[in-house]
Amino acid sequence: GYPKERITIIRPGEREIDGVRCVESLRSLERKLDLLIVAVNADAVYGLVDEIIASDAVEAVMLIPGGLGETKKSREPAASMAARINAAHGKAGGGPVFLGANCLGVVSHPGSYDSWFIPLERLPKPNKKPERNSVMLSQSGAFMITRLSHNPWLDPRYMLAMGNQTDLTHGDLLTYFAGRPEIETIGIYVEGFRDLDGLDFARAVRRAVRQGKDVVVYKAGRTAPGAGAAFGHTASDAGDYALFDSVVRHAGAIVADTVTDFDDLFYLASALHGKKIGGNRLGAISGAGFEAVSMADAIESDSFAMQMGALAPATIGRVGEVLAAKRLDALVEVGNPIDINPGADDEAHLAIAEAFVRDPGIDAVVVALDPTAPAVRALEASTLRPGFDIGDPSSTVTLMPPIVERVDKPIIGVIDAGRLYDAMAARLMDQGVCIFRNCARATAALVRYVEARLYAATIKARPEDPR
């Protein structure tokens, strides 16, 4: 969507490419560029960076090429180039800022530009949210691409790959986004830090948390082989993982132990940021005994535990009425967790979920939506019962989003079934409902998130440290 008339290609010997004007060199530009994307051979970068600094023709630069500091041969030239960039910052005007090298650059929805060069057929960018509230920062562009491919509902407002951190660092970017009011959730992939930037990063985490943001971090290079791989990838010294984990958790970040944990926690934080986290009391609803057991087994982590909330008498009465109306009262005993039987339909699942979430003794609800149960309208199209599907006005897809919208506590839905039920999950997620495909993963992620939110509340309640 970026207007072609505001784009210039610097390519000697060409006048136009795909309707975009070309010029011979930086000196041929008619006005100062807001952004220069450099995609040339690595050997040409060093001289070009000097030309960029001397020309004063550019505000900001993305250095796409790799091979600038990751190999033994390139380390000294890359370090010298970084020193020249830094020296330019000390002069009048400050010189341009550089993102990279060895980075895919930026996807900016507000700016309507994408420097990743991934065809849309390979990575579609559907409008999953009316208003995006998150940003993803990563040393690896491929990390962001695969995360978005797995779960397009992450759909960040901005995605920035920083590569080797020749100039802009983790601390720089997190400090900036910590102050952006439209950003609520920040996901970060870290391989290593430049000298002293780890301290800036930890301070930026604390600043973001005090501003009411959720910060989810995954740190790679926790083993010796992993640290070696990180250095070969983005010339990063991975450092001591235990120290990183302790400092960043203390600052208020949600630290993911695995890439899968990062996916779950970043998605959960984006979906639940606006919900009230008032305590650690869980309500668990399922139509299968194993799911109830799975949720109960997942409520403890190494550092925190949720508990099954005690239901108020009014809630027990309301749930009993729902079960009686659905002729399930002889089969189901009201409790928490509750196994409501595969005979429960969409309305029963959601009426009980809403009764649980409105109970003053419950802080969050995980409800298994039992898509394979014959009474649930879960198929995209039913051949045996035409119309008994997700398009039915009585389906979970229709009934659940308004409930999630009107309550202030978290409700997480679980669709633990195969590809036949992808459409049901997608339709719910399109409407802002937080959906997982496994009860244990949903509960474990919620436990980590509740722990972080409760700790963040204590950070925000303290007087701010002037340092």
Side-chain angles (χ1 to χ4, degrees):
Y2 199 83
K4 286 187 176 183
E5 63 271 16
R6 297 184 63 187
I7 303 173
T8 302
I9 300 173
I10 300 174
R11 186 171 177 84
E14 299 281 357
R15 299 188 64 181
E16 182 184 291
I17 297 176
D18 291 340
V20 177
R21 184 175 67 101
C22 299
V23 299
E24 290 288 314
S25 67
L26 280 171
R27 299 181 189 88
S28 305
L29 293 169
E30 298 173 355
R31 61 182 66 86
K32 193 169 186 176
L33 294 178
D34 295 307
L35 173 64
L36 175 64
I37 301 174
V38 175
V40 299
N41 185 281
D43 292 338
V45 170
Y46 302 109
L48 181 58
V49 165
D50 291 336
E51 183 182 349
I52 290 167
I53 292 172
S55 69
D56 192 34
V58 180
E59 296 284 0
V61 185
M62 291 181 199
L63 296 177
I64 305 295
L68 301 172
E70 306 98 271
T71 63
K72 186 175 181 180
K73 179 182 176 182
S74 69
R75 283 170 202 158
E76 187 175 331
S80 177
M81 179 182 71
R84 296 195 298 276
I85 291 171
N86 194 51
H89 292 330
K91 297 178 181 178
V97 293
F98 288 78
L99 185 68
N102 187 25
C103 78
L104 281 182
V106 174
V107 172
S108 168
H109 284 288
S112 299
Y113 68 88
D114 171 357
S115 72
W116 284 8
F117 308 109
I118 306 295
L120 286 175
E121 67 176 1
R122 300 278 179 172
L123 190 69
K125 298 186 181 70
N127 290 322
K128 292 294 182 186
K129 293 181 181 178
E131 182 62 33
R132 297 170 177 85
N133 65 348
S134 66
V135 60
M136 198 184 299
L137 310 174
S138 173
Q139 278 187 266
S140 167
F143 178 86
M144 292 190 286
I145 290 169
T146 52
R147 308 283 57 78
L148 203 62
S149 179
H150 279 298
N151 189 348
W153 289 271
L154 294 175
D155 200 27
R157 191 180 185 93
Y158 304 99
M159 290 172 279
L160 293 88
M162 63 196 73
N164 294 1
Q165 304 178 90
T166 300
D167 186 21
L168 292 172
T169 64
H170 290 294
D172 293 327
L173 293 173
L174 182 54
T175 297
Y176 173 77
F177 284 109
R180 299 290 299 184
E182 75 277 17
I183 298 300
E184 297 175 344
T185 308
I186 305 171
I188 310 165
Y189 169 78
V190 176
E191 290 184 355
F193 295 102
R194 292 303 184 191
D195 288 349
L196 297 180
D197 192 55
L199 178 59
D200 287 342
F201 180 81
R203 286 173 171 161
V205 169
R206 176 58 63 89
R207 188 174 300 115
V209 171
R210 289 188 66 90
Q211 293 289 328
K213 304 181 194 308
D214 295 329
V215 181
V216 182
V217 184
Y218 175 67
K219 172 70 169 65
R222 62 183 65 198
T223 64
F231 195 89
H233 178 215
T234 54
S236 295
D237 186 352
D240 183 88
Y241 180 78
L243 177 63
F244 168 89
D245 183 80
S246 178
V247 170
V248 175
R249 283 182 193 270
H250 181 70
I254 309 169
V255 180
D257 295 324
T258 66
V259 174
T260 300
D261 288 342
F262 178 89
D263 290 349
D264 291 350
L265 290 166
F266 187 46
Y267 168 60
L268 189 71
S270 297
L272 300 185
H273 180 85
K275 297 299 183 182
K276 175 185 176 183
I277 303 294
N280 69 335
R281 299 162 300 180
L282 177 68
I285 303 159
S286 78
F290 90 91
E291 290 179 322
V293 174
S294 294
M295 288 187 268
D297 279 345
I299 63 173
E300 295 184 7
S301 71
D302 292 339
S303 56
F304 184 76
M306 294 187 74
Q307 59 182 328
M308 292 297 173
L311 299 178
T315 304
I316 294 172
R318 172 63 185 136
V319 173
E321 291 171 2
V322 173
L323 294 172
K326 301 296 180 180
R327 299 182 181 179
L328 297 171
D329 51 320
L331 303 173
V332 179
E333 184 174 355
V334 179
N336 183 27
I338 184 172
D339 174 3
I340 60 175
N341 189 275
D345 63 7
D346 305 71
E347 186 180 35
H349 282 83
L350 298 174
I352 293 171
E354 185 165 13
F356 268 49
V357 82
R358 292 191 180 281
D359 189 303
I362 299 292
D363 298 302
V365 168
V366 178
V367 52
L369 299 170
D370 300 323
T372 59
V376 175
R377 299 159 177 82
L379 293 171
E380 189 168 19
S382 174
T383 55
L384 293 177
R385 300 176 68 183
F388 194 85
D389 53 36
I390 59 176
D392 190 314
S394 297
S395 72
T396 299
V397 164
T398 301
L399 298 177
M400 190 171 185
I403 296 173
V404 169
E405 178 69 24
R406 65 178 174 251
V407 299
D408 62 354
K409 300 176 191 174
I411 300 178
I412 300 174
V414 177
I415 299 176
D416 192 350
R419 289 181 296 174
L420 278 175
Y421 308 97
D422 287 352
M424 179 187 185
R427 290 275 294 276
L428 285 166
M429 293 168 81
D430 281 347
Q431 297 178 81
V433 179
C434 185
I435 294 293
F436 276 73
R437 303 302 290 269
N438 177 288
C439 280
R441 277 181 66 173
T443 307
L446 180 65
V447 168
R448 296 286 301 277
Y449 183 66
V450 167
E451 177 186 16
R453 282 283 298 271
L454 293 176
Y455 178 54
T458 69
I459 290 174
K460 287 183 280 188
R462 300 172 193 162
E464 187 166 5
D465 188 334
R467 294 174 295 177

